Amino acid sequence: MRQHGTWQGDGIFYGADYNPEQWPEEVWAEDVALMRRAGVDLVSVGIFSWALLEPTPGRYEFGWLDRALDVLHDGGINVDLATATASPPPWLAHRHPETLPRTADGTVLWPGGRQAYCPSSPVFRERSLALVEAVAGRYAEHPAVVMWHISNELGCHNVHCYCDVSAEAFRRWLRERYGDLDTLNAAWGTTFWSQRYDDWAEINPPRSAPTFANPTQQLDFLRFSSDEQRAQLRAEREVLARLVRQPVTTNFMIGTGIKYLDYHSWASDVDVVSNDHYLTAADPLSHLGLALAADHTRGVAGGDPWLLMEHSTSAVNWQPRNVAKAPGQLRRNSLAHVARGADGVLFFQWRASRAGAEKFHSALVPHAGPDTKVFREVCQLGADLKALAEVRGSRVDAEVAILFDWEAWWGVELDSHPSVDVTYADRLRALHGALWRAGVTTDVVHPSADLSGYQLVLVPTLYLVRDADAEALRRYVDGGGTALVTYFSGIVDEHDHIRLGGYPGAFRDLLGVRTEEFFPLREGERVRLDDGATADVWTEWLHPEGAEVLASYADGPLPGVAALTRHRVGRGTAWYVGTRLDEAATDRLVARLLAEAGARPPVAAPTGVEVVRRRAGDRSWLFVINHTDAEVRLDVTGTELLGGARCTGELRVPAGEVAVVREGHVGAVPLARPTATA
Ligand code: GLA
């Protein structure tokens, strides 16, 4: 595994994607002047430049990029240089139409947007690696370049390709995985519906079929597709490893609904875990989604600091209604990412485009220019991040973990299941949201992660689980941990085969329960529990087998049947909830679990005030983000870094504002606070 955490500069990186090729060169000097005014010190360059860098096959034109990098370097701006392979030029598909991706029903996805390539195409691989070689060879020693940016959001638009080239690659992947056809037939359960394969050549991706495709075939195709994208990342990294010495990254898309890339398996391929995060603008509580994405990115990074490669200064262009950010929201969003472990805050993009599909996407420099709310807030944020330089490299305190596995997500949302209302994100968000409201910071980690440091582990909808991971949870509880498992967990093994003997299969003994039959509810149907809670979507006929019953159904299809249980195992306890509790009941359950496990917020704060602690050795910093419309006063002692004030037992944070306190060290030396210059 490559080591994360050695990539930072002197402080918290600040910047954006910068696309100088979209502007006349006269604009570049103004760009650099404005970057300096804003405190920007890192820009990602060349992300979508392949067609300019290699206008015809094998003929490279680097002149404009030479000049752009020099202008940036002269201005003191560092560069995260792209390998520029994110989107091939039109000549690739024109000369090699077989590089175009196809959907499950055979539709060709043509160039004209971006990322129109088959991820398994050997032609694409060869041409893209030749470009990486050329770019890396030319700029390896350029003094502006501090980081390399492989491709861009690998698999964002082309993760699943069903063409013949992909079919061949899928067969190779399957041979590697299973060795022989008997093993594949057993794993896929092909005795069902006359699906037995007699020759590898008979196997295809799960293309459009008359009815439900084999679920294990679907699951393996999803694994294969994530691995094919990862193979591009690794192939580019190998070229870079030969030619450059700077750290290497690529931007993940954790927490924006992108489902099909297993980033837990990719993290070891990069030196810097980077993430892109965009708010769901229609959601008034979008800062909860942000916190979840950041906590998950940190989990993927193994707890190390990570880089926020992209977010937006205001509206995006690709949602149905692109709501602009309210004054102050940009600052709260950015500093929430830093609170949760980001050591850099970058945006898409520096200057708003004049042309192209993203011309209505916000930027640091809007169409209206620098005399704007957005650019003033950009300058303010630059000053804030400078004041937080000392936080760089510290880690986030978290006593609670939520287990997350992309394969479980893929598995639980396959077709022909008991209820379409059981989705993976649902309980994940519900439990993370309850912890957020309780003020408790949570790591979102893979089930194979080391759980020993956590007071409480929550396991939402872990439908697919491997034996070793189920056993690790049992050992965690046995050793004194507290765990909660929610319904439709532990159901299948890694082949999507049911674990027999009663649900929830892999967790039955740990939880001390046995479910004999699922009773999913009708759309909109609600049931009541005898502790006053309500629930919907799911109930199940559960028998306690050693577990204590904490609540049962008062009505619905299963009156009197247990809905919430607790089981003592060794020195710990394992809780199970067999239904989808309403939000208030989920909050009460999480509060009980926190109390039992002894996990607490960093400081007591009203709901809606986000408080997170970062720590390095004996130093710690408390981030306080007030999402409410009233001033709050918290019991905190230390030096507030954004305003330069000291506080002794009382920190005041006005409505909508952010404070960051270096705890404890109230020395005599006055704090020099950089000021915004906009
Ligand atoms: C992604 C891409 C960027 C841009 C933004 C727009 O994050 O990486 O190139 O398209 O979305 O939000």
Side-chain angles (χ1 to χ4, degrees):
M1 166 140 177
R2 289 170 79 99
Q3 292 295 312
H4 304 139
T6 53
W7 46 271
Q8 295 98 332
D10 299 332
I12 307 287
F13 276 132
Y14 185 39
D17 276 22
Y18 177 43
N19 298 304
E21 67 273 32
Q22 292 179 16
W23 298 95
E25 295 196 17
E26 306 82 80
V27 177
W28 299 358
E30 186 198 342
D31 282 333
V32 170
L34 289 174
M35 285 176 192
R36 292 174 66 89
R37 194 162 132 199
V40 161
D41 60 3
L42 180 65
V43 292
S44 301
V45 177
I47 304 262
F48 292 103
S49 299
W50 189 346
L52 289 191
L53 292 175
E54 192 182 1
T56 54
R59 186 170 63 78
Y60 296 105
E61 283 189 6
F62 288 117
W64 69 270
L65 187 53
D66 291 351
R67 293 192 293 283
L69 295 188
D70 289 348
V71 168
L72 288 164
H73 180 61
D74 291 347
I77 312 293
N78 299 300
V79 171
D80 163 44
L81 188 59
T83 57
T85 57
S87 198
W91 58 251
L92 186 74
H94 183 65
R95 288 168 190 243
H96 302 281
E98 75 281 11
T99 61
L100 290 173
R102 281 180 192 258
T103 62
D105 64 3
T107 302
V108 174
L109 300 177
W110 294 93
R114 65 177 175 186
Q115 236 176 32
Y117 66 87
C118 160
S120 302
S121 163
V123 179
F124 176 82
R125 178 66 58 82
E126 188 194 322
R127 298 302 329 181
S128 61
L129 295 190
L131 178 67
V132 179
E133 182 107 22
V135 176
R138 188 167 185 94
Y139 297 111
E141 299 301 328
H142 196 289
V145 178
V146 298
M147 195 178 290
W148 287 86
H149 186 303
I150 289 178
S151 188
N152 188 68
E153 294 191 341
L154 280 158
C156 181
H157 309 293
N158 66 344
V159 63
H160 300 136
C161 176
Y162 298 79
C163 76
D164 288 343
V165 174
S166 294
E168 203 45 58
F170 184 40
R171 289 178 205 120
R172 279 198 300 278
W173 184 92
L174 290 168
R175 273 177 191 264
E176 183 77 20
R177 183 175 177 86
Y178 294 112
D180 60 66
L181 276 175
D182 285 347
T183 311
L184 177 139
N185 277 309
W188 285 19
T190 56
T191 47
F192 178 80
W193 278 357
S194 183
Q195 292 173 350
R196 188 184 163 282
Y197 292 100
D198 187 48
D199 188 328
W200 292 98
E202 296 163 5
I203 302 174
N204 281 310
R207 292 174 172 156
S208 296
T211 184
F212 307 119
N214 180 304
T216 319
Q217 178 192 11
Q218 295 190 58
L219 190 58
D220 273 345
F221 185 67
L222 301 180
R223 290 178 173 132
F224 155 78
S225 300
S226 175
D227 282 357
E228 288 295 90
Q229 298 289 341
R230 184 184 177 201
Q232 179 70 23
L233 168 64
R234 293 168 71 117
E236 294 197 27
R237 197 202 67 191
E238 276 168 28
V239 176
L240 292 175
R242 275 194 286 112
L243 298 170
V244 309
R245 59 192 156 71
Q246 300 90 340
V248 172
T249 192
T250 189
N251 42 351
F252 295 168
M253 297 171 281
I254 297 169
T256 320
I258 299 286
K259 173 175 173 184
Y260 292 116
L261 302 160
D262 180 356
Y263 292 127
H264 285 299
S265 73
W266 296 28
S268 56
D269 296 323
V270 292
D271 303 312
V272 185
V273 167
S274 300
N275 198 48
D276 295 352
H277 184 261
Y278 291 94
L279 299 179
T280 304
D283 178 4
L285 296 177
S286 57
H287 49 277
L288 271 73
L290 184 159
L292 173 55
D295 289 347
H296 195 181
T297 306
R298 187 177 67 252
V300 166
D304 285 336
W306 51 279
L307 180 63
L308 179 64
M309 185 61 84
E310 292 181 25
H311 68 319
S312 65
T313 58
S314 192
V316 299
N317 63 298
W318 43 266
Q319 295 183 12
R321 286 164 206 86
N322 293 299
V323 179
K325 288 193 181 178
Q329 196 179 0
L330 162 61
R331 186 182 198 223
R332 289 195 297 280
N333 290 166
S334 296
L335 296 180
H337 282 291
V338 177
R340 293 175 186 275
D343 269 5
V345 171
L346 280 66
F347 294 83
F348 179 83
Q349 64 175 329
W350 167 252
R351 190 182 273 279
S353 298
R354 285 193 73 188
E358 291 179 330
K359 59 184 174 296
F360 291 115
H361 197 291
S362 60
L364 281 77
V365 183
H367 293 145
D371 184 15
T372 45
K373 155 214 150 217
V374 165
F375 193 70
R376 276 187 285 279
E377 293 199 12
V378 161
C379 293
Q380 168 72 49
L381 180 61
D384 288 342
L385 295 176
K386 287 242 169 349
L388 297 182
E390 66 188 55
V391 171
R392 177 195 77 249
S394 60
R395 293 165 70 94
V396 173
D397 274 1
E399 296 180 337
V400 178
I402 293 182
L403 303 190
F404 181 102
D405 186 358
W406 267 278
E407 292 198 350
W409 186 1
W410 304 342
V412 79
E413 294 182 3
L414 288 174
D415 47 35
S416 57
H417 273 196
S419 172
V420 294
D421 297 325
V422 178
T423 60
Y424 194 56
D426 175 66
R427 291 300 83 189
L428 169 73
R429 288 204 191 111
L431 292 174
H432 188 273
L435 289 161
W436 192 95
R437 286 186 288 277
V440 171
T441 310
T442 307
D443 286 343
V444 180
V445 299
H446 190 262
S448 63
D450 176 8
L451 303 178
S452 56
Y454 297 110
Q455 310 275 19
L456 173 65
V457 173
L458 305 181
V459 187
T461 333
L462 200 67
Y463 163 80
L464 180 155
V465 66
R466 287 162 201 271
D467 293 347
D469 296 338
E471 171 55 21
L473 185 69
R474 194 201 59 75
R475 274 202 312 276
Y476 162 77
V477 174
D478 193 55
T482 304
L484 169 76
V485 177
T486 77
Y487 58 91
F488 214 43
S489 292
I491 305 298
V492 298
D493 64 15
E494 67 264 40
H495 300 308
D496 198 40
H497 293 198
I498 297 288
R499 295 175 176 277
L500 299 177
Y503 316 118
F507 299 122
R508 208 169 49 226
D509 292 344
L510 170 68
L511 298 167
V513 301
R514 183 174 60 87
T515 288
E516 64 173 89
E517 190 175 355
F518 301 135
F519 278 71
L521 300 178
R522 295 184 173 83
E523 191 174 6
E525 185 179 357
R526 297 194 79 76
V527 295
R528 286 186 305 113
L529 275 60
D530 59 11
D531 64 356
T534 66
D536 61 3
V537 170
W538 190 263
T539 61
E540 54 186 56
W541 196 325
L542 178 145
H543 303 280
E545 293 194 342
E548 169 195 358
V549 177
L550 301 175
S552 302
Y553 300 106
D555 59 16
L558 298 170
V561 167
L564 178 66
T565 61
R566 176 170 55 185
H567 189 217
R568 296 209 181 277
V569 177
R571 295 193 289 122
T573 35
W575 298 54
Y576 183 62
V577 59
T579 189
R580 184 178 181 274
L581 295 176
D582 63 54
E583 185 174 299
T586 304
D587 284 354
R588 286 197 300 276
L589 173 59
V590 164
R592 272 175 93 170
L593 288 161
L594 290 169
E596 181 169 300
R600 285 204 306 269
V603 298
T607 302
V609 180
E610 190 173 349
V611 184
V612 180
R613 178 174 284 127
R614 288 183 66 160
R615 186 189 297 280
D618 59 358
R619 308 181 79 198
S620 65
W621 297 266
L622 202 67
F623 285 72
V624 182
I625 304 164
N626 185 356
H627 297 277
T628 74
D629 52 15
E631 181 184 83
V632 287
R633 297 173 187 204
L634 305 183
D635 180 1
V636 176
T637 294
T639 305
E640 203 286 310
L641 299 175
L642 302 180
R646 289 172 190 150
C647 46
T648 309
E650 186 182 80
L651 171 72
R652 292 177 179 217
V653 186
E657 291 293 328
V658 183
V660 183
V661 177
R662 182 203 301 137
E663 294 181 285
H665 298 262
V666 188
V669 187
L671 191 82
R673 196 231 184 275
T675 45
T677 48

